[in-house]
Amino acid sequence: MSGLTHVELVWLEKQTEHWIRFGRAAEEQILDRRRRVLSFAPGSIFAFVRWAANDYGTVASRIDILRAVRSSEACATVPFVRPGADILLRTSGWPKVKHVLQMIDIVESLGIDAADAAPDYWRHVHSRLSVGEALRPYTLARHKAWLLRQRIDP
């Protein structure tokens, strides 16, 4: 399948971890016991988490919620994501990453796969986190409005 967005996942015990928090991969390629590549179809939304540590503890934690793009669409570069993606949310630092993970849990507690939530919601979370404002939780009403909007504006 061409036109996929490829994400390299790495696991080096107590050093580096990259994983997908949510999203539906179209393909998976295992490179070796510590690396694999997940590929996402255009339009797919997924959360990519990166964590790194050294002998003294965590040195980096980051989460990106991304939308895979078609080959004809412009995209932003993101480390370990080829060719790039539409960035819906990008944050770093454990307190903010933890907050985003909690917001994902809230969406899923409604019985909604976070990959199906409105992309605008993830942009809202990004904007509010960036300026230190309170986040509005995702609701069933907002999700229903998103689904209706998709029907009339594909």
Side-chain angles (χ1 to χ4, degrees):
M1 205 187 266
S2 63
L4 297 176
T5 296
H6 309 286
V7 182
E8 184 177 348
L9 304 178
V10 178
W11 180 79
L12 298 169
E13 189 173 5
K14 298 181 183 178
Q15 294 176 24
T16 303
E17 292 182 29
H18 299 173
W19 72 92
I20 298 297
R21 171 57 182 82
F22 67 78
R24 292 183 201 88
E27 293 179 0
E28 178 180 16
Q29 179 185 10
I30 297 172
L31 303 176
D32 56 45
R33 66 186 203 106
R34 295 182 178 176
R35 297 178 310 131
R36 63 191 173 120
V37 175
L38 290 183
S39 301
F40 294 88
S44 299
I45 295 175
F46 58 95
F48 179 38
V49 182
R50 290 178 282 153
W51 173 87
N54 62 20
D55 292 340
Y56 302 100
T58 298
V59 293
S61 55
R62 169 176 290 287
I63 187 167
D64 297 295
I65 297 182
L66 307 166
R67 184 182 62 82
V69 295
R70 289 169 181 72
S71 58
S72 61
E73 288 182 88
C75 62
T77 58
V78 178
F80 303 98
V81 177
R82 295 181 322 270
D86 179 19
I87 300 170
L88 305 177
L89 179 148
R90 179 171 234 188
T91 196
S92 62
W94 179 243
K96 288 182 179 180
V97 170
K98 182 179 175 183
H99 207 137
V100 171
L101 293 171
Q102 290 168 343
M103 299 311 285
I104 293 168
D105 290 343
I106 289 170
V107 170
E108 292 174 341
S109 74
L110 297 171
I112 299 167
D113 187 320
D116 296 329
D120 293 345
Y121 178 68
W122 300 120
R123 288 185 178 104
H124 157 79
V125 173
H126 171 85
S127 297
R128 292 293 183 111
L129 272 177
S130 297
V131 297
E133 291 288 325
L135 306 175
R136 289 186 299 239
Y138 200 67
T139 63
L140 289 173
R142 186 172 191 160
H143 189 65
K144 182 178 178 183
W146 162 243
L147 295 176
L148 290 171
R149 195 169 86 208
Q150 279 187 298
R151 276 200 247 156
I152 59 172
D153 189 28

